[in-house]
Amino acid sequence: MARQIDYYFSLQSPWAYIGHEAFARLVSTYDLKVNYRPVLLVDLFSETGGLPLAKRHPVRQRYRMIELQRWRDKRGLNFHLQPANWPFNGRLADGVVIALLEAGLDPEPFLQRAYPAVWELELNLADPATLVKLADDAGLPGRQLVERSGSDEISAAYEQNRQNALEADVFGSPGYVLDGEVFWGQDRIELLEDALKSGRKPYSCVVQGQQSG
């Protein structure tokens, strides 16, 4: 039976974009089953003590820009550090992924176009027409998916993903959960592969037998 990974992410997350190709290779190499769980970042940040980018200290904002450049080079990507249509409300785009899952369709063809659409092509993923075209180009029923994305049922599923993320101790995007162990950030993909390769038991935040003091 294939091992499963819960993949928490948002299409507005630069780090999910940066790590997605590496993650997809990992999934293929280890024949993993991926449970895609788009999640609302703003609420997740606030509930777990994080801050939106605009509210972070300038020192942290400057360091983020350096890290984006480092990982752009490391992953062999070519993207804008400050794309024209970012930040954007990711609800509709993330909802398209949920609508795809609801319809029993593979979200990867859409994701492989949607991530670079933001960061490389500077398209606006809050725009319904843009999402329709991206889905159509992936051979998917774009208009139907975008219309479904705006439904109350998809909103409820989006909220459930947020609750699931909190219960799993996920607090940002991307978050990869293997056997209950959280790997936060695309820079943990190599550690995720180590865990898969070794077959070790998941690490826990509770250390058995450790004495206090």
Side-chain angles (χ1 to χ4, degrees):
M1 182 180 296
R3 300 188 73 181
Q4 298 191 31
I5 288 185
D6 292 337
Y7 174 34
Y8 291 91
F9 65 96
S10 174
L11 278 161
Q12 64 175 301
S13 167
W15 308 109
Y17 153 68
I18 290 171
H20 192 73
E21 286 188 14
F23 178 58
R25 286 194 296 270
L26 191 73
V27 168
S28 177
T29 298
Y30 292 90
D31 191 26
L32 304 173
K33 181 184 185 301
V34 180
N35 301 315
Y36 296 87
R37 303 192 189 280
V39 64
L40 182 62
L41 290 175
V42 174
D43 288 352
L44 199 60
F45 283 153
S46 64
E47 290 190 60
T48 57
L51 291 174
L53 179 61
K55 294 184 178 181
R56 295 176 199 167
H57 192 282
V59 169
R60 291 179 178 270
Q61 294 190 37
R62 290 194 294 269
Y63 186 74
R64 172 184 173 276
M65 293 300 293
I66 293 172
E67 282 281 87
L68 285 172
Q69 293 169 81
R70 287 173 177 161
W71 283 103
R72 180 173 62 181
D73 292 346
K74 177 71 172 177
R75 299 292 188 205
L77 298 169
N78 182 20
F79 63 87
H80 299 275
L81 299 175
Q82 295 177 301
N85 289 292
W86 190 93
F88 64 95
N89 186 333
R91 163 63 185 83
L92 195 63
D94 289 348
V96 168
V97 179
I98 298 174
L100 280 163
L101 297 170
E102 179 187 64
L105 298 171
D106 182 3
E108 274 301 318
F110 175 73
L111 289 173
Q112 290 168 9
R113 287 166 175 78
Y115 276 129
V118 178
W119 301 97
E120 298 172 26
L121 304 178
E122 298 189 282
L123 300 182
N124 181 8
L125 260 66
D127 173 47
T130 298
L131 292 172
V132 168
K133 186 175 189 310
L134 287 170
D136 284 346
D137 289 347
L140 300 164
R143 187 167 302 280
Q144 177 182 334
L145 289 167
V146 172
E147 289 177 356
R148 182 60 179 165
S149 174
S151 70
D152 290 343
E153 291 84 359
I154 297 298
S155 291
Y158 201 41
E159 167 61 18
Q160 186 61 56
N161 284 348
R162 184 189 67 82
Q163 294 181 23
N164 290 343
L166 290 170
E167 290 172 5
D169 286 348
V170 171
F171 50 89
S173 170
Y176 316 99
V177 183
L178 174 68
D179 298 331
E181 181 179 344
V182 179
F183 296 79
W184 173 52
Q186 65 84 30
D187 53 344
R188 297 298 186 270
I189 289 176
E190 286 75 11
L191 293 179
L192 174 57
E193 181 167 18
D194 289 345
L196 288 163
K197 190 182 301 182
S198 68
R200 64 167 175 78
K201 292 182 179 180
Y203 294 145
S204 169
C205 61
V206 177
V207 181
Q208 299 295 333
Q210 179 173 310
Q211 295 182 351
S212 61

